Amino acid sequence: MKTNKVLDNLIIFIVFFFLFLPICVLILFSFNTSSLNITFEGFTLYWYQHLLENTALLEALKNTLLIAVISTVVSTIVGTISAYALKKYDFPFKNVINELLYIPVVIPEIVLGISLLCIYTFMHLELGMFTLILAHISFSIPFVIISVRSVLDSLDPNIEKAASDLGASKLKTFFYIVIPLLLPGILSGAQLAFTLSLDDVVISYFTAGPGSNTLPLYVYSVIKTGVTPDVNALITIMLLVIFIVLTIATIISLRKFKKEVRG
Amino acid sequence: MKKIIIVLLILICTGCSNTKEEINVLNWSSYIPDSVIKSFQKETGIKVNYSTYSSNEELLAKISGAKEGTYDLIFPSDYMVEIMKDRDMLETMDLSKLQNYRNINPNYLNLDYDKGNVYTVPFVAATVLIAVNRDEVTDTITSYNDLLNPKYQNEIVLIDDQRIIIGLALLANGYDMNSVNENELEVAKEWLLKLKPNIKAYDSDSPKNFLITNEASIGVLWNAEAALAKDENPNIETIFPDEGFALSIDNMAIPASAKNKDLVYTFIDYILRPDVMKEIIDAYPYKNVNNMTNNLLGSNYLNNSAANIPDSVIAEGKFVENIGESVKLYDKLWAEIK
Amino acid sequence: MTSKLLRYIFILPVIIYTVFLIALPLIYIFVISFFQSDFYGGMIETFTLENYARIFDSVYIGIFIKSLVIAGITTIICILISYPFVLAVSHKNKRFQTILMMLVMIPFLTNSLIRMYGWTVLLRESGIINQILMSLNIISEPLSLMYNNLGIIIGMVYTLIPFMILPLYSSVSTIDKSLLEAASDLGASKWQKFKNIILPQTFPGLFNGALMVFTPALGYFFIVDVLGGGKIMILGNLIKNQFLTARNWPFGAAIAVSLVLITILVIVIYRKLGGKMDKLGDM
């Protein structure tokens, strides 16, 4: 098939330029001697050192990671069990529940945010880490369910039957047969839950309380009063970590792909 | 799986439990520098969870939305103190626990919104004024009406505060700043719509940045913001308009059923310490109300006409008043002009 | 463990979750949207339709229309950028495709607010873009690139574009290449191939992406806050203000309910056009 290679490359280049432009600016200014992110005045590593003294920022980072880890673990477990239950069992209102699960995926986050805020207030829950984690769990679970379900649907139902014919208990079958087979779906669901939690602004904005500042909320407040380059420095470090992790993941998937092609 | 759940529970518990002594402070943004909070934590071992708001209305919403006792210290302005008092949202202030209370300038004590300072201790005074970058604008500006000049298209930054901005539109038309007369408010609305093309942005948190970066050449903003902009660019002139201007006295107050009252008094007393107040005023030069701090403040503050506002000028300032249910008129008008 | 008990253990979590964390909060919002608000924050539990009537006030209708227009333009621009990009990527070999798609994801794994901040550094009057254009003498006066609708749309497109690229890419990669080759052999023009093969095959991805871009764009108040300069309001800001400054929860709830209705309408259209719900959250 004839395609216009030059045009293709141009399009790809322009889109990548657009995607990476603001990121590159942020990285550049993390090395800037001026504390205002306006013009580049000279090179320094000062902000990387200063970052370690910015306790508010570091605490926000700690909270963010803690919330992301806990909400990912919980939503992955609940999501996996739920996906399995929805596939294997019949129960009253199953169809309704199935529909309700899409709500957090499709409605604007702000609706979920304020409805959680209202219900927390109604139940006299104090806003803080707990309410924040609960909120993150509640918007992550459907993504895990959908991701697990897509693998579950392609699973051969005879496998479970064979296991029980061989005398394995249901629970054993679930843990030793089903879970390992579902692992790709579970992992991609967990990854999605983790990234959604790390970057959530809208829902956190309504459900956080004193002492539970997250990184996105911290950035939101400093954008209003003036961002210092130590925030840029933190983002640069985070980007580096993400880049390394993704590169490793890509190399692994490329290897697999090679094997599949060969074998 | 049980193990995972147990580990999780432990994690959640350690994440939320208050084993350390801590207080939850809710304050205006750009009001107390981080350094003050840090040295307080260092000196007392009390952890401060610090969060911010950008208008009295936001403060009220945060306090009434949160469970009682969520916040231990807030900084409402005069009229908001009245509103909160009426709604039993404030604890009485035990002044005997505040050694440094005597430092406060008596001119700022015992005011109408809190006779006898039963609920509040004044923190600073703030006025809203016009700041003009003389590098860009050479015309004489003495009145709010001068801002309507079409020359200033997209050049003005305003604080994002409905009571004050609508109030100054009323002043510009010769009405009372706190008018609840619907016809007068209609005139104010028309005035603000005329001003609209000139507005670059509404920003309460750091409007000075617009002036410093030359993004806007005129600002209607809090005096400390103007003072800081002046520090960066001496060609910024500050103007108290002929029609009058808004004055606000911000106070420290303890919300009803705050959980850590004893610790909060430690914090308030710390803030009232002359050297601490100096550090605060140096960072955010509002009008100082602490007598003992006066002799510590440098020429930077004393010679800055936007920071060290003479008492005679302060006396002319107008307070935003509690207008009760009529605030709905302001809410609607605000949505209409934005 | 009996299998009956096991059954309950499996079923309970999803029931508890949907009832307590999805259904109840939404029902509660629905209920309070019919309450009256007392001045200064409280709610009076008497039935009223006043909040819904108020939405039809010209001010608020204006905000609804503005939000829908901004979300619509954002969606169209996302399609216009993503389509050529995804097709261009699909012309590369599989390995290179994997690498390119990984690179696409990188910016979106960082904090979305800090990316908005990155845009303010670029777009403001003293920002990098204006500095460059002025030093090249292309313009003499700085352009207003933010604190207006343009800035907001740039921010929205930038934040939401992966939700368009990913589903489009996965639907483009399912197109049978031999079909395209056969079409070329039969003398089909590029446009014919696009219209008759590529477009129908990628419709599901396109709709999926459009939905995942359009509805969030109605509510992303933080983009409007950062790039709109506080003088532009979309539905997200309006709801946020009712809850966090104007203290009128019932009215805020009524706007939120209307937003849900708009979403449901969009979903119904999506389903009518043959869209599958499971595809929406599958990334």
Side-chain angles (χ1 to χ4, degrees):
Chain A
M1 197 168 93
K2 248 189 357 195
T3 48
N4 195 333
K5 273 209 172 143
V6 181
L7 186 67
D8 278 353
N9 290 340
L10 189 69
I11 292 168
I12 292 173
F13 175 79
I14 292 173
V15 171
F16 273 103
F17 184 75
F18 173 67
L19 293 180
F20 279 86
L21 188 60
I23 307 272
C24 293
V25 168
L26 290 170
I27 295 175
L28 179 72
F29 279 100
S30 76
F31 301 110
N32 190 4
T33 44
S34 155
S35 70
L36 297 168
N37 282 310
I38 296 172
T39 41
F40 194 81
E41 284 169 13
F43 180 88
T44 179
L45 286 173
Y46 169 76
W47 299 108
Y48 287 82
Q49 182 201 338
H50 191 259
L51 173 64
L52 299 174
E53 289 155 28
N54 191 340
T55 44
L57 177 59
L58 292 180
E59 182 166 331
L61 178 67
K62 190 198 89 188
N63 286 342
T64 303
L65 291 174
L66 187 69
I67 293 165
V69 169
I70 296 176
S71 70
T72 303
V73 172
V74 176
S75 59
T76 307
I77 294 171
V78 175
T80 307
I81 294 173
S82 303
Y84 186 78
L86 287 167
K87 176 90 183 170
K88 298 288 168 186
Y89 296 106
D90 261 318
F91 47 91
F93 301 112
K94 185 171 148 180
N95 285 336
V96 181
I97 285 178
N98 248 330
E99 296 286 318
L100 283 173
L101 283 175
Y102 291 106
I103 288 180
V105 179
V106 292
I107 57 168
E109 288 155 84
I110 190 165
V111 177
L112 205 63
I114 57 152
S115 60
L116 285 170
L117 169 68
C118 289
I119 208 89
Y120 289 158
T121 313
F122 181 67
M123 298 196 302
H124 296 282
L125 280 175
E126 189 171 320
L127 298 182
M129 286 298 267
F130 176 72
T131 52
L132 206 49
I133 291 171
L134 202 59
H136 282 226
I137 290 172
S138 74
F139 71 70
S140 301
I141 286 179
F143 288 95
V144 178
I145 293 183
I146 289 168
S147 164
V148 172
R149 180 142 66 192
S150 70
V151 181
L152 203 54
D153 283 340
S154 63
L155 226 55
D156 186 349
N158 291 324
I159 296 175
E160 268 180 271
K161 217 169 155 260
S164 73
D165 286 350
L166 291 171
S169 75
K170 269 222 147 150
L171 207 58
K172 253 191 178 155
T173 319
F174 181 73
F175 279 114
Y176 292 100
I177 313 282
V178 180
I179 295 268
L181 286 170
L182 291 182
L183 213 53
I186 295 174
L187 287 180
S188 75
Q191 188 207 337
L192 197 56
F194 191 75
T195 35
L196 288 173
S197 168
L198 271 191
D199 189 30
D200 178 69
V201 188
V202 177
I203 292 170
S204 306
Y205 187 77
F206 292 98
T207 52
S212 61
N213 215 6
T214 66
L215 190 59
L217 295 181
Y218 175 84
V219 174
Y220 193 40
S221 67
V222 292
I223 282 183
K224 291 178 172 175
T225 51
V227 176
T228 46
D230 46 3
V231 179
N232 299 27
L234 177 68
I235 296 300
T236 308
I237 295 170
M238 286 175 76
L239 266 170
L240 199 67
V241 173
I242 291 164
F243 185 75
I244 292 169
V245 171
L246 272 187
T247 312
I248 294 170
T250 312
I251 290 172
I252 292 172
S253 76
L254 281 179
R255 285 236 174 103
K256 237 191 223 162
F257 172 70
K258 244 191 210 165
K259 262 188 208 158
E260 274 164 26
V261 171
R262 277 188 202 143
Chain B
M1 191 151 99
K2 253 187 201 160
K3 262 188 203 160
I4 298 175
I5 292 170
I6 291 168
V7 169
L8 270 174
L9 283 177
I10 292 169
L11 268 176
I12 293 175
C13 293
T14 51
C16 316
S17 67
N18 310 351
T19 43
K20 283 176 289 183
E21 292 192 311
E22 51 181 26
I23 51 172
N24 297 327
V25 176
L26 181 59
N27 196 357
W28 294 81
S29 50
S30 307
Y31 232 42
I32 292 184
D34 286 345
S35 57
V36 168
I37 303 291
K38 267 190 203 161
S39 39
F40 172 77
Q41 295 188 139
K42 222 177 185 177
E43 210 175 290
T44 61
I46 301 170
K47 184 168 178 270
V48 179
N49 292 318
Y50 192 78
S51 32
T52 60
Y53 56 91
S54 2
S55 69
N56 279 301
E57 287 68 29
E58 192 183 337
L59 165 67
L60 181 64
K62 274 201 167 145
I63 290 294
S64 37
K67 190 187 164 199
E68 279 201 349
T70 303
Y71 295 100
D72 300 312
L73 182 65
I74 54 177
F75 291 69
S77 307
D78 34 74
Y79 75 103
M80 194 47 70
V81 171
E82 256 177 79
I83 291 167
M84 292 184 154
K85 222 167 57 179
D86 290 350
R87 296 167 64 84
D88 297 323
M89 294 170 82
L90 300 178
E91 288 284 328
T92 50
M93 183 78 70
D94 185 352
L95 297 174
S96 66
K97 287 187 178 161
L98 299 171
Q99 278 193 340
N100 295 322
Y101 180 71
R102 57 197 152 92
N103 296 344
I104 297 170
N105 181 342
N107 284 346
Y108 296 92
L109 293 175
N110 199 21
L111 294 168
D112 280 343
Y113 60 84
D114 185 18
K115 280 276 175 209
N117 288 75
V118 181
Y119 299 97
T120 63
V121 174
F123 175 65
V124 291
T127 65
V128 178
L129 40 71
I130 301 179
V132 179
N133 182 348
R134 284 300 177 200
D135 297 335
E136 308 281 328
V137 177
T138 48
D139 319 308
T140 37
I141 292 178
T142 55
S143 150
Y144 292 117
N145 287 308
D146 293 331
L147 303 181
L148 293 175
N149 190 337
K151 268 206 302 203
Y152 310 141
Q153 198 197 338
N154 230 354
E155 283 295 343
I156 303 177
V157 58
L158 301 176
I159 51 173
D160 196 358
D161 191 309
Q162 64 182 57
R163 288 298 306 276
I164 285 173
I165 297 301
I166 295 172
L168 69 83
L170 287 163
L171 286 177
N173 290 287
Y175 302 128
D176 184 82
M177 197 176 87
N178 295 295
S179 170
V180 292
N181 176 318
E182 291 195 32
N183 295 330
E184 293 178 7
L185 283 169
E186 186 62 29
V187 175
K189 180 183 133 189
E190 292 306 320
W191 191 89
L192 284 168
L193 287 175
K194 253 193 279 174
L195 184 65
K196 201 172 180 178
N198 289 359
I199 299 171
K200 177 91 189 180
Y202 287 99
D203 181 13
S204 286
D205 300 291
S206 194
K208 61 175 175 292
N209 286 349
F210 285 82
L211 292 172
I212 295 170
T213 62
N214 239 342
E215 202 81 16
S217 51
I218 301 175
V220 177
L221 32 69
W222 296 110
N223 66 303
E225 292 284 315
L228 289 171
K230 238 175 135 97
D231 282 344
E232 296 285 330
N233 179 0
N235 278 336
I236 288 175
E237 187 195 350
T238 49
I239 295 155
F240 289 96
D242 295 343
E243 298 98 335
F245 55 92
L247 167 69
S248 149
I249 295 177
D250 293 341
N251 306 273
M252 293 184 266
I254 304 174
S257 55
K259 275 181 301 198
N260 308 301
K261 271 174 234 156
D262 293 334
L263 303 178
V264 154
Y265 283 110
T266 316
F267 185 79
I268 299 175
D269 215 30
Y270 182 80
I271 296 292
L272 294 178
R273 240 168 63 181
D275 56 320
V276 175
M277 192 46 100
K278 176 197 182 295
E279 199 177 338
I280 295 171
I281 298 282
D282 278 345
Y284 302 109
Y286 284 99
K287 172 69 183 173
N288 170 39
V289 300
N290 191 318
N291 278 339
M292 303 302 285
T293 307
N294 275 338
N295 17 354
L296 299 176
L297 289 163
S299 58
N300 210 10
Y301 171 81
L302 298 172
N303 298 336
N304 192 327
S305 60
N308 187 23
I309 302 167
D311 286 335
S312 58
V313 177
I314 293 271
E316 286 169 32
K318 298 176 199 305
F319 281 117
V320 172
E321 285 161 16
N322 178 10
I323 52 170
E325 191 148 4
S326 305
V327 76
K328 279 190 173 168
L329 297 173
Y330 279 66
D331 282 341
K332 178 152 185 270
L333 203 161
W334 194 237
E336 281 168 339
I337 58 116
K338 270 214 175 178
Chain C
M1 228 186 271
T2 66
S3 78
K4 205 169 183 187
L5 182 64
L6 198 67
R7 193 183 119 98
Y8 283 119
I9 291 176
F10 271 99
I11 295 172
L12 265 183
V14 70
I15 293 179
I16 293 173
Y17 163 68
T18 42
V19 170
F20 287 98
L21 288 173
I22 302 179
L24 273 185
L26 288 174
I27 291 169
Y28 187 59
I29 281 284
F30 187 70
V31 170
I32 65 173
S33 72
F34 294 102
F35 284 174
Q36 260 167 355
S37 69
D38 73 355
F39 80 100
Y40 282 127
M43 290 185 288
I44 306 165
E45 295 170 14
T46 42
F47 178 85
T48 175
L49 286 172
E50 187 195 314
N51 301 309
Y52 287 96
R54 208 174 146 196
I55 289 176
F56 291 98
D57 195 303
S58 62
V59 188
Y60 302 113
I61 285 288
I63 294 175
F64 266 85
I65 293 173
K66 180 165 222 167
S67 309
L68 292 171
V69 169
I70 288 180
I73 294 175
T74 303
T75 312
I76 292 169
I77 296 177
C78 280
I79 294 174
L80 292 180
I81 296 176
S82 305
Y83 236 121
F85 174 73
V86 164
L87 289 178
V89 169
S90 74
H91 297 154
K92 304 287 171 195
N93 69 46
K94 259 282 177 247
R95 256 185 96 164
F96 198 45
Q97 284 187 28
T98 316
I99 294 171
L100 285 174
M101 291 312 283
M102 175 203 105
L103 285 173
V104 165
M105 285 318 295
I106 285 184
F108 301 99
L109 296 173
T110 60
N111 190 298
S112 57
L113 270 163
I114 198 75
R115 279 182 275 128
M116 285 307 102
Y117 176 70
W119 276 110
T120 68
V121 175
L122 284 158
L123 295 177
R124 60 184 162 209
E125 270 182 27
S126 55
I128 293 175
I129 292 178
N130 273 318
Q131 280 177 30
I132 291 174
L133 290 179
M134 289 194 9
S135 66
L136 294 175
N137 282 326
I138 297 173
I139 51 171
S140 56
E141 282 287 303
L143 302 171
S144 290
L145 300 170
M146 58 182 277
Y147 304 125
N148 52 24
N149 290 328
L150 176 67
I152 291 173
I153 288 173
I154 293 175
M156 291 274 185
V157 169
Y158 187 81
T159 308
L160 292 164
I161 203 163
F163 297 104
M164 182 64 80
I165 291 181
L166 289 182
L168 259 190
Y169 174 72
S170 64
S171 65
V172 163
S173 52
T174 59
I175 295 176
D176 191 351
K177 283 258 162 83
S178 58
L179 212 58
L180 291 172
E181 276 162 36
S184 301
D185 293 345
L186 293 171
S189 72
K190 268 197 168 169
W191 169 242
Q192 278 174 323
K193 275 193 293 182
F194 181 75
K195 200 182 80 181
N196 296 324
I197 302 170
I198 298 175
L199 200 57
Q201 292 261 14
T202 51
F203 255 148
L206 190 68
F207 287 136
N208 177 346
L211 185 64
M212 295 304 278
V213 171
F214 186 81
T215 53
L218 296 170
Y220 271 178
F221 63 83
F222 65 93
I223 296 178
V224 180
D225 270 1
V226 175
L227 293 167
K231 56 179 180 177
I232 297 166
M233 256 198 215
I234 62 163
L235 286 172
N237 304 74
L238 189 60
I239 296 175
K240 181 191 125 188
N241 286 354
Q242 295 308 316
F243 277 86
L244 297 187
T245 38
R247 312 155 306 278
N248 191 339
W249 286 28
F251 182 49
I255 304 164
V257 171
S258 332
L259 195 49
V260 173
L261 292 179
I262 294 175
T263 313
I264 291 175
L265 188 73
V266 176
I267 299 276
V268 169
I269 297 172
Y270 172 75
R271 280 186 167 169
K272 277 262 159 68
L273 293 168
K276 294 224 169 33
M277 294 304 283
D278 252 2
K279 286 273 175 270
L280 290 174
D282 204 7
M283 278 176 268

